Amino acid sequence: MNINGKHFRTVWLNENDPQVVNIIDQQILPHRFVIKKLHTVSEVVHAIHDMHVRGAGLIGATAGYGMYLATIEAAQTKSFDEHLNRSAKEIAAARPTAVNLSWAVNRQLTAIDTRKPVSEKIKIARDTAIAIADEDAEHCRRIGMHGVKIIEAISKKKNGAPVNILTHCNAGWLAFVDYGSATSPVYEAYQRGINVHVWVDETRPRNQGAGLTAWELLNHGVPHTVIADNTGGHLMQHGMVDMVITGADRVTRVGDAANKIGTYLKALAAADNNIPFYIALPSSTFDWMISDGLKEIPIETRSADEVKYVEGLCDNEIKKVLITPLGSEAINYGFDVTPARLITGLITERGICNASENDILQLFPEKS
Ligand code: MRU
């Protein structure tokens, strides 16, 4: 995507030093646009854990590059394999819910053939990291091509009046390598001249909607309005939402979807108001090993301080302010699970399907 006319991805190898990984630092967006350099596995783990990079697809792609850095580090130790496996465990444990993380680490472990010489292993890891990132971008582009058909159909039904799309958290290009999942159909619709408007849930406690989705849409010129998290139900009751699209961090083989905390409540409100509720995801977000989202998807719990304090710009400085009594307890569940029965459809790189095992497997027969 473009920022001030220049194309950026969210993660890439440094042009001058290919042993360094560049990321857009999402901790300080939308107030500052800073490119951060990652030199070591431990910096990669820190960047994922502390959410300098975040969003399922981008976590996966960064993990892929982290494994490449792990091969460079392992080459300087006595036991290459031991170091690589230890790094793989550290990277995979950086955040628990988005399955893209372990998917990317395992893909690297499979690709790095232990019988090859070390220099060859480093090259394989580098090529695989680039392939994971390229695929992520391409899959998101295709999600846009499929998802735009839904927006087009609603637009026709409304005789060109704005299609109002509600989204939660940030499942935009910042959450992936490029394009985004939930926002990809929106960008494609906008590109085709379809009248679209996005309701952006602020997404407490970390405000990825207010800070990141709004910034993306603003940069792209897409009409949007930021709303407090609890507003969606009211808008739906008053005919002001035509569809909901969110991303996902892990989707079971039967179609239950974990996404940012609060997504489930939007799905309930959408069902009560007969509003289509879509989840957009690349296939790297399916967890083919599990069927019961509520019981089997690990839900991240983060620091209570993210609930108790809010961060923002004040006098041109990023500041953190306390919004609860200091002594109050707070708890911070990062994700919830929306059961398949509340999901109208899944928008994937291979097309759109119902959130059911049978329909998912028709698109991905190799997982039968
Ligand atoms: O905690 P985050 O910001 O990594 O959570 C991101 C989300 O929940 C997104 O909606 C999700 O990753 C889907 S889009 C990649």
Side-chain angles (χ1 to χ4, degrees):
M1 284 287 156
N2 290 347
I3 299 164
N4 297 329
K6 185 168 167 6
H7 180 259
F8 280 93
R9 280 185 166 190
T10 50
V11 63
W12 68 99
L13 282 184
N14 185 290
E15 301 77 3
N16 302 320
D17 183 353
Q19 300 202 345
V20 171
V21 177
N22 284 358
I23 57 166
I24 295 173
D25 188 350
Q26 300 194 26
Q27 259 204 0
I28 45 180
L29 275 176
H31 309 300
R32 311 251 192 276
F33 181 78
V34 171
I35 293 167
K36 192 174 164 67
K37 292 186 170 74
L38 307 177
H39 308 83
T40 62
V41 169
S42 104
E43 284 179 9
V44 167
V45 171
H46 175 264
I48 295 173
H49 180 267
D50 290 356
M51 296 174 66
H52 294 273
V53 286
R54 29 75 41 211
L58 177 56
I59 290 173
T62 308
Y65 283 111
M67 287 295 287
Y68 158 59
L69 295 184
T71 58
I72 297 170
E73 286 177 10
Q76 289 151 19
T77 66
K78 283 202 190 98
S79 172
F80 184 96
D81 291 347
E82 204 180 299
H83 185 91
L84 187 70
N85 287 327
R86 197 170 45 245
S87 300
K89 282 200 183 107
E90 282 166 17
I91 296 170
R95 287 190 75 190
T97 302
V99 75
N100 303 59
L101 182 55
S102 53
W103 170 85
V105 168
N106 290 332
R107 180 164 163 179
Q108 280 282 28
L109 286 175
T110 308
I112 303 164
D113 188 333
T114 46
R115 290 161 305 181
K116 294 254 163 65
V118 165
S119 60
E120 189 65 14
K121 288 181 192 173
I122 295 174
K123 188 182 172 317
I124 292 171
R126 180 188 150 135
D127 292 349
T128 306
I130 293 169
I132 289 171
D134 287 350
E135 269 172 36
D136 183 85
E138 174 57 15
H139 287 178
C140 285
R141 192 189 67 77
R142 288 192 208 168
I143 285 170
M145 293 300 164
H146 295 299
V148 73
K149 293 177 200 148
I150 304 166
I151 302 176
E152 234 158 15
I154 297 174
S155 170
K156 274 203 189 114
K157 237 180 168 171
K158 291 186 79 177
N159 292 319
V163 179
N164 289 300
I165 301 161
L166 186 139
T167 192
H168 191 70
C169 193
N170 174 263
W173 70 271
L174 288 169
F176 290 87
V177 174
D178 210 344
Y179 298 98
S181 60
T183 55
S184 187
V186 176
Y187 291 133
E188 185 55 30
Y190 179 75
Q191 218 62 37
R192 293 184 189 193
I194 298 170
N195 206 345
V196 283
H197 167 262
V198 183
W199 295 111
V200 180
D201 279 355
E202 61 177 346
T203 320
R204 281 280 291 145
R206 290 187 67 101
N207 296 314
Q208 292 95 325
L212 304 177
T213 305
W215 182 79
E216 274 192 26
L217 294 171
L218 188 71
N219 268 288
H220 209 76
V222 179
H224 64 282
T225 309
V226 179
I227 50 175
D229 279 335
N230 300 325
T231 312
H234 170 78
L235 297 177
M236 290 182 201
Q237 286 176 320
H238 289 271
M240 295 161 82
V241 179
D242 296 303
M243 69 185 295
V244 181
I245 318 182
T246 75
D249 289 80
R250 191 184 294 232
V251 175
T252 69
R253 62 188 290 122
V254 307
D256 296 340
N259 192 49
K260 183 52 59 193
I261 193 81
T263 304
Y264 169 55
L265 292 178
K266 293 299 138 67
L268 281 176
D272 192 44
N273 290 281
N274 283 321
I275 291 165
F277 181 95
Y278 287 93
I279 298 269
L281 72 152
S283 51
S284 51
T285 300
F286 280 110
D287 186 339
W288 301 104
M289 306 301 286
I290 60 172
S291 301
D292 187 332
L294 275 183
K295 289 199 185 127
E296 295 178 279
I297 298 179
I299 299 295
E300 176 178 26
T301 309
R302 297 185 62 84
S303 161
D305 278 0
E306 292 181 358
V307 175
K308 296 181 70 168
Y309 292 82
V310 170
E311 251 181 50
L313 197 67
C314 178
D315 297 330
N316 213 26
E317 266 179 60
I318 295 169
K319 288 191 179 148
K320 207 167 151 177
V321 293
L322 179 68
I323 57 167
T324 63
L326 189 58
S328 289
E329 292 293 321
I331 188 139
N332 186 5
Y333 294 110
F335 300 90
D336 59 24
V337 174
T338 299
R341 69 187 149 80
L342 295 175
I343 299 169
T344 310
L346 302 173
I347 310 171
T348 76
E349 74 267 18
R350 292 200 194 166
I352 303 169
C353 68
N354 291 322
S356 74
E357 183 163 19
N358 202 29
D359 286 31
I360 294 170
L361 291 179
Q362 297 224 344
L363 279 187
F364 298 93
E366 72 276 21
K367 302 294 179 187
S368 288

